[in-house]
Amino acid sequence: WATSAKGSAAEDPGADLAAGATGQLLNQYVRQGGGLLLVGGARTWRGGTLVPALAEILPVDLAPGAGFIAQEVSPSMGLEGREHPVVRLVQEKEGTTADPWAQLPPLPGYLEGARRKEGAAVLVEGNIPGKPPLLVAGAAGRGKVIAGLSGAFWRLDLVSSGVGGRPQVIRRFWQNAAKWLAMKTPAGRVRVWTEGPVYRSGEAVVFLAQIFDELLRPQSGASVEIS
């Protein structure tokens, strides 16, 4: 686990680590506005159950008998991920309408029987029948959570770092994820900026605005007044 004043992260810690007081503290931390990034692998999802305190705040539900399947699975952008800032900004930075995740190497497994909770967003999914979620974002109380439902995400960077690889895709994802998790929910949902950085005296100033929901998905039909 890695914790700081603004966030908490874990890499396949095993479900037992969040038992007892630790799980309750994490639950309370997120619900009060904290951000949690949990990357789970075979140890975390062993047995298909989680301690209640952790299960309450994660953006996924586990079906009875859910478990980690050690089978290579290629990542692809989830439908909700196309509108979520953590993934959408990666695609915009790449300057393409194609799926940048499709160019990454496969992950070593996925969590069978995982389903996103209502209101959560599947950012990245497995490109196999059933489309198992691999990265899911959601809210709990006033806080936000991103769950990685596979192991060894570090491989996406390492294997892609050769000639012709695209390691910047996963690197930008983690950067965007950290920013999104650290940003308080009430802040940043209304963004206003000018069309140009500099205007001459007497020139009309053009403002642009975007409105986002709790998961920072852009909303249409909003009216913004600027004074």
Side-chain angles (χ1 to χ4, degrees):
W1 294 80
T3 60
S4 70
K6 292 188 176 180
S8 178
E11 167 72 30
D12 199 13
D16 294 340
L17 190 61
T22 302
Q24 293 297 331
L25 286 172
L26 277 174
N27 186 299
Q28 182 181 21
Y29 168 77
V30 171
R31 291 187 178 281
Q32 291 179 350
L36 173 66
L37 171 62
L38 173 68
V39 179
R43 292 181 61 230
T44 301
W45 312 117
R46 183 173 56 243
T49 58
L50 290 169
V51 294
L54 196 58
E56 288 177 1
I57 59 176
L58 287 184
V60 292
D61 285 320
L62 303 185
F68 190 77
I69 305 297
Q71 170 188 319
E72 285 195 342
V73 55
S74 297
S76 62
M77 189 187 307
L79 183 61
E80 294 110 350
R82 299 179 186 275
E83 297 298 329
H84 198 284
V86 175
V87 174
R88 187 186 71 247
L89 294 177
V90 174
Q91 186 181 32
E92 291 176 358
K93 194 71 173 181
E94 290 290 300
T96 177
T97 58
D99 182 359
W101 294 84
Q103 304 175 43
L104 296 181
L107 289 163
Y110 62 94
L111 180 58
E112 187 179 50
R115 298 291 182 270
R116 70 174 182 87
K117 291 180 179 177
E118 183 177 358
V122 177
L123 306 180
V124 178
E125 61 190 12
N127 191 18
I128 59 174
K131 301 290 185 181
L134 300 177
L135 288 161
V136 187
R142 300 199 306 270
K144 290 173 285 189
V145 181
I146 292 180
L149 310 181
S150 184
F153 279 93
W154 53 268
R155 289 178 52 179
L156 300 183
D157 188 313
L158 179 65
V159 179
S160 298
S161 295
V163 177
R166 307 295 289 273
Q168 63 270 22
V169 173
I170 188 63
R171 294 175 186 176
R172 287 171 181 153
F173 173 84
W174 296 130
Q175 292 169 358
N176 294 340
K179 293 175 182 177
W180 182 73
L181 289 169
M183 186 168 58
K184 298 299 182 182
T185 300
R189 292 177 57 187
V190 178
R191 302 180 187 176
V192 181
W193 67 98
T194 56
E195 193 173 46
V198 178
Y199 288 86
R200 295 184 176 89
S201 177
E203 186 179 0
V205 179
V206 178
F207 287 90
L208 304 174
Q210 284 186 314
I211 307 297
F212 300 86
D213 65 6
E214 290 82 357
L215 292 179
L216 294 187
R217 293 175 294 202
Q219 302 298 291
S220 60
S223 177
V224 178
E225 182 177 309
I226 297 175
S227 61

